[in-house]
Amino acid sequence: MKIHLRKRVGRLSQEKEKNGKKQMASLYLAYSLRPGSKIKYEWLNLHIFESPKTNIEKDHNKATMQLAESIRAKRLLDQQTSTHGFISGVKGKIDFLDYFKKLADKKRDDSEGNYGNWKSTYEHLKVYCNRKEYTLEQIDDIFLEGFKQYLVGNISRRGNGKIGQNSALSYFNKLRASLREAYMNKMIKENPCSRIKGLKAGDTHRQYLTLEELQKMVRTPSENPLLRKAFLFSALTGLRWSDVKSITWGKIRHTEGAGWHLEYTQKKTKGAEILPISDQAVNILGERKTNEDQIFKNLSYHTHMNNQLQQWVNDAGIEKKITFHCARHTFATLQLSMDTDIYTVSKLLGHKHLKTTEIYTKVIDKKKIDAANRIPLLT
């Protein structure tokens, strides 16, 4: 990083000079983080005479320049100490929205849903900031509470009603994650989120297909055979879209004792997994190719793909709004309905916490279903 001390003569000072008044220059610092990067400025609220004539004016300029140089030296010291594990005041002056956008861009390699949430959060932050510039160190309790209220009370970016409760929770958590990372990287002295309560998650109804409906899908042709194959494979394995998309043939292996299994690293959690898969799931994939080939190489996630999926669902005579992620929900609910214990289902889904899997028990709870049918017929 380079920090330059510069001066600027304003138009008002130039007008004063024409009227016989002294022309003053304002001092400021220009921060150059790296070659070609956007230059940041810090105005020092210090002024010197542009053309000093008297000894008093010259002494004023000398003292003011010494003070400005001291400030510049302190900023450089802040930068140097940060490389040795101390908090840097310079880092805290980084533009917050620029910092958040760079974090969001890093999420491109994660699942498309996660990157989409980061991107949407950035767009909402831009609206909330309303063109006002905030540095990292200016993000405080008031900013966070204000953004919470913005999320709760504003309409969605699609213009279809207010932001959903779980969407608001996701966006606010992305903001918290960005500040947590800034604190861990010693860019800010404290994490303001430690004093702020988060938003509560709302109850959701996870859409899924029953066994009968999934069988209808199998019997129904689709205009996109590759999408059909990928969706059914996800419904039989519980894999997310991001993991299905990245599978190569070499990751699917067979051993005499364990049968077919998939060795992969989850895109979302980065956890290394070994997932047993059924013969039926493998047969759906068709003819095996080289180990380096992606199984679903030419399949991409976009609106047209979602429309093709929904058309396939409609053609099967199923009146449900289905997305690709519903295949994962289908796998979980089918396993629970067939008496697979929740701990095993959790492991198959790659969940880190059992609590995440328990959401599916609200959908399939055989004890509740049996209890509802236990009362004899009323005569």
Side-chain angles (χ1 to χ4, degrees):
M1 173 186 285
K2 294 183 178 180
I3 305 177
H4 303 277
L5 176 60
R6 296 176 179 174
K7 64 179 181 179
R8 180 179 180 183
V9 180
R11 293 180 180 177
L12 183 60
S13 295
Q14 293 174 350
E15 292 297 324
K16 288 181 178 180
E17 180 73 12
K18 291 179 182 179
N19 296 327
K21 296 182 179 180
K22 297 294 182 181
Q23 185 172 355
M24 304 293 289
S26 299
L27 300 180
Y28 66 95
L29 297 178
Y31 296 83
S32 178
L33 300 179
R34 58 184 177 276
S37 65
K38 184 179 179 181
I39 297 177
K40 303 294 182 181
Y41 302 101
E42 179 186 357
W43 294 94
L44 302 180
N45 198 27
L46 297 175
H47 306 84
I48 59 174
F49 293 97
E50 180 64 15
S51 301
K53 296 179 180 179
T54 67
N55 288 334
I56 294 177
E57 291 173 355
K58 292 177 181 178
D59 289 342
H60 168 84
N61 279 12
K62 182 178 180 181
T64 303
M65 289 300 294
Q66 287 177 341
L67 176 58
E69 282 291 350
S70 297
I71 296 173
R72 188 182 77 88
K74 184 179 184 303
R75 298 293 187 264
L76 281 172
L77 181 62
D78 285 340
Q79 191 273 333
Q80 292 168 358
T81 55
S82 69
T83 63
H84 294 282
F86 297 99
I87 300 297
S88 167
V90 175
K91 286 186 177 181
K93 297 185 184 302
I94 292 174
D95 183 84
F96 169 69
L97 283 178
D98 286 347
Y99 164 76
F100 190 92
K101 187 175 187 303
K102 288 177 182 176
L103 279 185
D105 289 341
K106 290 181 181 178
K107 306 299 178 182
R108 288 180 183 272
D109 293 334
D110 294 347
S111 67
E112 295 192 33
N114 187 43
Y115 169 64
N117 282 335
W118 276 88
K119 188 176 179 181
S120 295
T121 306
Y122 171 72
E123 295 298 333
H124 281 296
L125 282 168
K126 279 205 307 184
V127 174
Y128 174 67
C129 290
N130 194 25
R131 298 184 179 179
K132 181 178 178 180
E133 292 187 0
Y134 288 90
T135 61
L136 264 174
E137 63 185 8
Q138 288 177 322
I139 306 302
D140 55 12
D141 309 37
I142 297 175
F143 182 97
L144 293 171
E145 288 290 355
F147 188 59
K148 275 172 59 177
Q149 295 306 313
Y150 162 87
L151 292 173
V152 170
N154 277 270
I155 62 172
S156 69
R157 295 183 60 239
R158 296 178 181 177
N160 301 323
K162 290 187 177 181
I163 298 172
Q165 189 172 348
N166 287 326
S167 293
L169 170 63
S170 177
Y171 299 153
F172 191 68
N173 283 344
K174 298 297 180 290
L175 172 57
R176 290 164 66 105
S178 71
L179 294 174
R180 183 168 57 251
E181 184 160 339
Y183 177 70
M184 294 297 293
N185 290 331
K186 300 184 182 297
M187 301 178 75
I188 50 178
K189 295 179 181 179
E190 65 169 347
N191 185 354
C193 294
S194 61
R195 300 185 297 272
I196 301 298
K197 290 184 177 180
L199 293 168
K200 292 183 178 180
D203 288 334
T204 58
H205 296 284
R206 303 204 170 201
Q207 192 64 277
Y208 67 98
L209 297 170
T210 64
L211 179 59
E212 292 74 20
E213 289 170 336
L214 189 60
Q215 288 171 335
K216 286 182 179 179
M217 299 278 285
V218 171
R219 294 192 295 266
T220 305
S222 167
E223 63 175 296
N224 188 336
L226 190 60
L227 168 61
R228 180 180 184 277
K229 183 189 298 185
F231 184 87
L232 293 176
F233 185 75
S234 176
L236 292 171
T237 60
L239 290 172
R240 298 181 181 89
W241 160 265
S242 56
D243 295 321
V244 168
K245 181 69 174 68
S246 63
I247 294 175
T248 59
W249 283 102
K251 293 180 180 179
I252 296 181
R253 303 177 182 179
H254 185 275
T255 60
E256 288 298 327
W260 289 105
H261 61 275
L262 171 67
E263 297 181 10
Y264 74 109
T265 300
Q266 289 193 71
K267 285 282 187 178
K268 182 175 182 179
T269 66
K270 309 303 180 186
E273 306 287 345
I274 299 178
L275 177 69
I277 54 179
S278 65
D279 292 345
Q280 180 179 203
V282 175
N283 291 336
I284 282 177
L285 301 178
E287 183 181 354
R288 189 181 182 95
K289 297 182 180 179
T290 64
N291 287 344
E292 293 74 24
D293 283 335
Q294 277 187 294
I295 298 176
F296 304 102
K297 181 179 179 180
N298 297 319
L299 189 65
S300 57
Y301 196 98
H302 45 64
T303 303
H304 182 56
M305 189 204 79
N306 283 330
N307 292 336
Q308 289 177 322
L309 174 58
Q310 189 59 52
Q311 185 60 53
W312 178 30
V313 172
N314 295 342
D315 291 345
I318 301 169
E319 296 181 358
K320 287 182 178 179
K321 179 68 175 178
I322 297 296
T323 65
F324 194 94
H325 199 67
C326 294
R328 181 172 166 85
H329 298 329
T330 297
F331 172 81
T333 52
L334 285 177
Q335 288 290 347
L336 289 171
S337 67
M338 295 174 183
D339 293 326
T340 304
D341 66 272
I342 191 170
Y343 180 80
T344 301
V345 175
S346 181
K347 291 299 181 182
L348 290 171
L349 292 172
H351 287 163
K352 287 186 175 181
H353 306 288
L354 191 62
K355 186 176 181 180
T356 308
T357 318
E358 288 175 348
I359 295 172
Y360 293 103
T361 62
K362 295 181 180 180
V363 179
I364 298 295
D365 191 331
K366 295 193 72 175
K367 289 184 178 180
K368 288 168 63 176
I369 296 171
D370 292 341
N373 296 311
R374 198 165 289 162
I375 299 175
L377 292 175
L378 302 176
T379 56

